[in-house]
Amino acid sequence: MTTSAAVPTGPESAMTGDGSVTDRLVDANERYASEFTDPGMDAHPVLRVAVVACMDARLDLHAALGLELGDCHTIRNAGGVVTDDVIRSLTISQRALGTQSVVLIHHTNCGLESLTEEFRHELEMEVGQRPAWAVEAFRDVDQDVRQSMQRVRTSPFLPHTDDVRGFVFDVRSGLLREIDPAGERSPDAASA
């Protein structure tokens, strides 16, 4: 497995030589583009699935799910929670680009478990303007996955809500644990 974990993580890691991390990414893109071949595909996902997941850098979704380029739409945000913007993206994914299944992936050790809505108040005090968005912090990852599944299943904008499944990705083992939408904990979950 290739990761960037070997890259220095201190303040100096933001700089590489005379450039920034963004310069490093642009350089990497130039190398990528020099060998790039148009795969000849359009924007319709081959597997007709949209994956909604947390933005956490420890989740390599394509590797963890055995996905290839063009297989799915990937929608990521803090916590992987289903917000209005996620519903917007899923609606476009389904209505314009043919997806029919939705996979929701939260994970263990999520940063949103340590935040509260007080975060918004702190931002307001610092910058003088209250954010219009909710933090969507949670304490129980399983319950938050259930809430996200419910938001997808009840959206009037989504025509395909029969195949909506939610999971918690364990950042230590790499395994997915499926969440029962009815709230029944699996025997495996009791020991997690």
Side-chain angles (χ1 to χ4, degrees), residues 54 56 58 78-79 107-116 135 137-139:
C54 185
D56 192 290
R58 296 171 290 181
H107 65 91
T108 58
N109 251 4
C110 185
L112 282 187
E113 292 175 301
S114 63
L115 290 177
T116 66
V135 174
F138 53 86
R139 295 282 179 255

Side-chain angles (χ1 to χ4, degrees), residues 112-125:
L112 282 187
E113 292 175 301
S114 63
L115 290 177
T116 66
E117 290 299 320
E118 182 67 19
F119 183 74
R120 291 173 69 218
H121 177 70
E122 293 166 2
L123 281 173
E124 180 180 17
M125 293 296 100

Side-chain angles (χ1 to χ4, degrees), residues 109-164:
N109 251 4
C110 185
L112 282 187
E113 292 175 301
S114 63
L115 290 177
T116 66
E117 290 299 320
E118 182 67 19
F119 183 74
R120 291 173 69 218
H121 177 70
E122 293 166 2
L123 281 173
E124 180 180 17
M125 293 296 100
E126 180 182 331
V127 303
Q129 181 177 342
R130 187 170 186 84
W133 39 263
V135 174
E136 296 277 354
F138 53 86
R139 295 282 179 255
D140 181 337
V141 67
D142 291 18
Q143 184 55 35
D144 203 63
V145 172
R146 284 187 204 94
Q147 177 177 301
S148 289
M149 285 190 283
Q150 185 65 15
R151 285 178 176 171
V152 171
R153 288 186 173 132
T154 59
S155 173
F157 305 111
L158 300 174
H160 304 289
T161 58
D162 293 338
D163 188 13
V164 177

Side-chain angles (χ1 to χ4, degrees), residues 27-50:
D27 290 345
N29 173 256
E30 288 173 2
R31 289 188 300 278
Y32 171 80
S34 71
E35 298 177 16
F36 182 78
T37 303
D38 179 359
M41 54 180 71
D42 65 17
H44 294 76
V46 173
L47 298 179
R48 300 173 72 172
V49 62

Side-chain angles (χ1 to χ4, degrees), residues 49-52 90 94 100-104 152 160 163-166:
V49 62
V51 178
V52 178
L90 287 173
Q94 288 191 0
Q100 296 184 352
S101 299
V102 178
V103 173
L104 305 171
V152 171
H160 304 289
D163 188 13
V164 177
R165 293 172 64 185

Side-chain angles (χ1 to χ4, degrees), residues 88-99:
R88 169 189 163 270
S89 294
L90 287 173
T91 301
I92 293 166
S93 178
Q94 288 191 0
R95 292 184 176 269
L97 297 167
T99 62

